Amino acid sequence: MVLSFCDKIILAPMVRIGTLPMRLLALDYGADIVYCEELVDIKMLQCKRVINEVLQTVDYIAPTERVIFQTCEREKDRLVFQMGTSDPERALAVAKLIENDVAAIDVNMGCPKEYSTKGGMGAALLSNAEKIEKILKTLVNGISKPVTCKIRILPTVEETVNLVKLIEKTGVAAIAVHGRKKEERPQHPVHCDFIKAISNSVSIPVIANGGSQEIIREFQDIEAFRSVTAASSVMVARAAMWNPSVFRREGLLPLEDVMRDYIRHAVRYNNHYTNTKYCLCQIMRDQLESPLGRKLHAVQSALDICEVFEITSFYKSCQLSQEARKLSLNINVQETPETDDNEENHDIVQMPIRFERKDYLPQVTPKMFLLEWCRKEKLPQPVYYTVQRSLDKFFRSVVTVNEKKYCSTLCDKSKKLAEQAAAIVCLRTLGLPEGKLGEEESNLIRKRKRGIQDESVSLAGTQGGEQIRKRLHNNEKFDDLKD
Ligand code: FNR
C-alpha cells in the first residue's frame, strides 16, 4: 500500500538519533511514520546491501564494513529514507538502491550546517529552484515510491509559498516545513504563521515541524501544533529525542522506563554501543550528573549499558538467541576457523563458553593457567588461531594443546576474549582449574564427595592464582598472556 502523509504523527530525521532502535521505539509508542537520519548520496552509493539473517535486518554496509543504514520488516511500510544530495542522477541511483526496503524517499533541503551546504546540499538547495525541480522530478519519475522533501522557510511568506508551489508541481507526495529560516537556531521561535500560509496555499499534505520545546512537550501538544499551523501532519524532532514517549496518546512515560525500552531495541539489533550511549545521553540531558548519569558516562559496551540499567539478563538472553539462530543457520560451522590441515569441525572440542572477567580471579586468566599447565607437563605452549567474522566482526579462537583443538561455539567482541574462551574450553575438557572465583571451594566439595585428596586443586584458589601470576610475571613471555 502506498504511504499516505495525511493526518500523521511523524518522527523527524535526526542525525545519530534516527537509527533503527529509536525508529522502532517511536513506532511502539505511537508514531505513524518514521524518518531515518540524513544519509549522504555519495556514502550510500558505496554501500553493499546485505541481508542479515541472524538479526533479520537489511544492512547497507560501507567498504569500511560499517553498517551505514539498517532496517527491518517491522518499519518497512512506514519508513522514509532521507538523503542528502545535490545531484539528480546520484539521488536517483540511491533511490533505486533502497526503494524496495523503504516506504518513501525524502530529500533534505533544510540542513544549514556547513558540511551540507558547502556540497550544495541541504539549505543550499533553497536558493536553487532549478536544482530542486530537477532532483525532485528525476526522483518522482524514476521510482515507484512516494517522494517528499523537507525545507526551511525563506525570508518572506510570499517567497516561501512560491517555492512550495513550485515543489508541489514536481509531483511530490508531501512537503515537510521546518518553520525557521536557515540562519535561525533551534531556540528561536517557530514561525507558525508561515506554515499556516503554506498549508492554505497547496493541496499536497503539509507536515509542520519546529514545534519542540516551545509548543510540543507531550502528546496533546502535537495536536495543538497541527491546529495552529493548519497542517495535515506534524513531525517531531527534539521533543522525541528527549522523550520518545511523546508519541504516546496515554501520556509520557518515566525516562528510566523509556531508556530501558530503547536499550532493548538497541541490544536486539546489535546497535553500536557508542550510538546507544549517545542517544541515552540526549534523553538524560539534564541528569547527566546524577549517579545514573555518571554510570552511563563510564560505559564501554552494550553489556555495560545493560548492567547500568539492570537488564543484564535481557542482554544475555538476546546473545543466546542470536547464537542459537547462528547455529540454526549454520553460520558457526561455516565460520569456524580452519586449521592448517583442514580438519573437520568434529575434531575440535567445542562448548558454549564465554569469558566474563568479573567471574575470575583478579590478574590471572584461563590462558595463564593453561600455559602454566603445559609447562608443568613439558608440552609445547598453547597455540591460538583466531578469525574475525565478516558478518558481525566478532571473533572466534581455536587453541591447540597437545595436538588437540578446543574452541568455544560462542563468538566474542575481541580477540583476547575469544582466546580466553578457547582456553576455558580446553581447561574444562581436561578437568583443570581455570581461575574462576569460587572454583577452589566447588572443586574441594566435588572431591570431598568423591573422597579424593589432590593437592593440584589448590592451583585454582586465590593462592594458586597468585603463584601463577608471580611465576608468569617473571617470565619473558608474560606479554603474550595479558588479557
Ligand atoms: C536534526 N534535524 C535534522 N533535519 C533533517 O532534515 N535531517 C537530519 O538528519 C537532521 N538531524 C538532526 C539531528 C538532531 C540531533 C536534531 C536536534 C535535529 C532537524 C530536525 O529534523 C528538525 O527540523 C528540527 O529539530 C526542528 O524540529 P523540532 O526539534 O522543533 O521538533
Side-chain angles (χ1 to χ4, degrees):
M1 219 177 64
V2 178
L3 183 66
S4 153
F5 290 86
C6 290
D7 199 19
K8 296 289 189 295
I9 295 174
I10 301 171
L11 174 72
M14 281 182 280
V15 167
R16 289 185 81 188
I17 302 290
T19 51
L20 182 61
M22 184 60 84
R23 301 196 303 261
L24 294 178
L25 189 61
L27 291 175
D28 287 350
Y29 287 153
D32 300 305
I33 296 175
V34 290
Y35 277 57
C36 74
E37 60 179 334
E38 180 200 53
L39 291 160
V40 172
D41 55 6
I42 294 174
K43 203 177 205 178
M44 280 303 293
L45 287 175
Q46 294 169 349
C47 289
K48 204 169 64 190
R49 181 182 183 275
V50 176
I51 295 180
N52 185 327
E53 302 275 6
V54 177
L55 300 177
Q56 295 176 301
T57 56
V58 178
D59 299 347
Y60 285 81
I61 302 179
T64 57
E65 301 279 328
R66 244 191 79 207
V67 178
I68 299 296
F69 173 61
Q70 182 183 42
T71 181
C72 67
E73 191 61 33
R74 162 130 194 261
E75 63 172 3
K76 192 174 175 183
D77 297 335
R78 295 189 283 164
L79 170 64
V80 181
F81 178 90
Q82 189 191 59
M83 75 168 99
T85 189
S86 62
D87 180 81
E89 297 315 316
R90 275 206 307 271
L92 183 61
V94 173
K96 281 183 179 293
L97 180 71
I98 49 117
E99 74 170 318
N100 293 326
D101 294 321
V102 300
I105 286 164
D106 180 80
V107 178
N108 183 350
M109 299 186 177
C111 181
K113 301 263 166 67
E114 203 194 321
Y115 60 75
S116 258
T117 53
K118 77 168 184 236
M121 299 183 292
L125 287 169
L126 294 175
S127 48
N128 192 342
E130 205 184 318
K131 182 70 86 48
I132 291 182
E133 255 187 314
K134 262 194 193 145
I135 292 174
L136 293 178
K137 276 188 179 161
T138 306
L139 286 174
V140 170
N141 297 330
I143 60 166
S144 56
K145 294 282 166 73
V147 175
T148 62
C149 68
K150 177 167 175 279
I151 62 162
R152 280 189 177 232
I153 56 174
L154 298 179
T156 65
V157 171
E158 199 193 350
E159 286 170 276
T160 318
V161 167
N162 285 341
L163 177 69
V164 173
K165 283 185 172 167
L166 175 140
I167 289 174
E168 183 180 31
K169 286 207 189 102
T170 63
V172 292
I175 180 162
V177 182
H178 177 187
R180 290 189 181 83
K181 297 168 191 166
K182 65 177 187 231
E183 60 284 352
E184 287 179 326
R185 305 272 60 88
Q187 58 276 14
H188 287 122
V190 57
H191 299 272
C192 293
D193 53 333
F194 275 63
I195 306 180
K196 189 171 180 178
I198 295 166
S199 303
N200 293 333
S201 315
V202 289
S203 47
I204 50 169
V206 170
I207 305 165
N209 172 243
S212 292
Q213 200 163 22
E214 220 183 317
I215 302 170
I216 303 171
R217 282 161 201 263
E218 53 186 306
F219 184 80
Q220 68 222 40
D221 305 330
I222 296 176
E223 191 45 50
F225 187 51
R226 190 205 311 263
S227 160
V228 76
T229 54
S232 177
S233 296
V234 172
M235 174 184 267
V236 187
R238 286 163 300 155
M241 170 174 79
W242 295 326
N243 188 342
S245 70
V246 69
F247 293 116
R248 279 183 90 240
R249 256 161 224 286
E250 306 81 3
L252 293 174
L253 288 172
L255 287 183
E256 273 199 37
D257 294 354
V258 171
M259 289 193 279
R260 281 196 190 92
D261 288 345
Y262 171 75
I263 295 165
R264 287 192 190 95
H265 282 307
V267 168
R268 207 170 285 133
Y269 290 101
N270 275 356
N271 196 45
H272 197 278
Y273 86 91
T274 51
N275 181 253
T276 307
K277 182 175 172 178
Y278 176 79
C279 292
L280 292 170
C281 285
Q282 305 311 309
I283 298 176
M284 285 203 81
R285 61 194 174 124
D286 39 16
Q287 293 167 42
L288 286 170
E289 289 306 312
S290 68
L292 189 65
R294 281 167 193 267
K295 282 190 201 162
L296 175 62
H297 186 69
V299 299
Q300 289 194 21
S301 67
L303 178 58
D304 286 354
I305 293 175
C306 291
E307 278 170 1
V308 168
F309 287 87
E310 296 172 357
I311 51 170
T312 314
S313 56
F314 176 81
Y315 177 88
K316 290 197 171 150
S317 73
C318 246
Q319 296 292 307
L320 282 176
S321 54
Q322 281 179 22
E323 290 301 336
R325 201 162 158 73
K326 282 170 201 166
L327 279 176
S328 74
L329 292 165
N330 242 359
I331 290 174
N332 266 330
V333 176
Q334 286 162 10
E335 303 241 8
T336 295
E338 285 175 24
T339 50
D340 294 344
D341 52 2
N342 270 332
E343 255 178 327
E344 296 293 328
N345 289 331
H346 58 249
D347 288 329
I348 303 178
V349 180
Q350 300 191 48
M351 289 180 198
I353 301 287
R354 186 160 277 140
F355 173 66
E356 303 275 2
R357 176 77 273 189
K358 65 176 170 25
D359 295 340
Y360 284 79
L361 294 165
Q363 302 186 39
V364 290
T365 64
K367 277 179 73 179
M368 291 178 176
F369 273 84
L370 188 57
L371 177 66
E372 179 64 11
W373 181 79
C374 288
R375 287 191 183 147
K376 225 176 82 198
E377 297 297 314
K378 310 239 172 331
L379 292 169
Q381 71 176 55
V383 176
Y384 294 86
Y385 176 74
T386 306
V387 290
Q388 186 177 25
R389 284 197 310 209
S390 50
L391 178 78
D392 53 12
K393 307 279 131 230
F394 274 40
F395 295 85
R396 227 171 148 210
S397 185
V398 174
V399 62
T400 305
V401 173
N402 201 14
E403 295 179 1
K404 279 216 154 50
K405 298 185 189 324
Y406 307 85
C407 172
S408 171
T409 53
L410 309 183
C411 292
D412 268 297
K413 61 183 180 222
S414 79
K415 179 170 177 271
K416 284 170 184 173
L417 289 173
E419 288 178 354
Q420 297 295 358
I424 298 171
V425 174
C426 175
L427 291 162
R428 288 198 191 164
T429 307
L430 300 176
L432 298 169
E434 61 193 63
K436 202 166 179 183
L437 290 167
E439 186 175 59
E440 186 175 26
E441 294 91 273
S442 51
N443 278 349
L444 277 173
I445 293 164
R446 219 178 305 129
K447 279 172 184 276
R448 258 191 223 118
K449 273 192 194 151
R450 299 200 317 243
I452 301 171
Q453 290 284 320
D454 184 355
E455 291 154 13
S456 69
V457 78
S458 70
L459 195 66
T462 315
Q463 226 185 335
E466 184 59 12
Q467 280 167 13
I468 284 193
R469 198 184 64 73
K470 279 190 187 144
R471 291 218 296 272
L472 290 170
H473 194 68
N474 296 329
N475 190 294
E476 68 220 25
K477 299 244 182 236
F478 184 66
D479 270 353
D480 302 340
L481 296 160
K482 279 191 283 184
D483 60 351

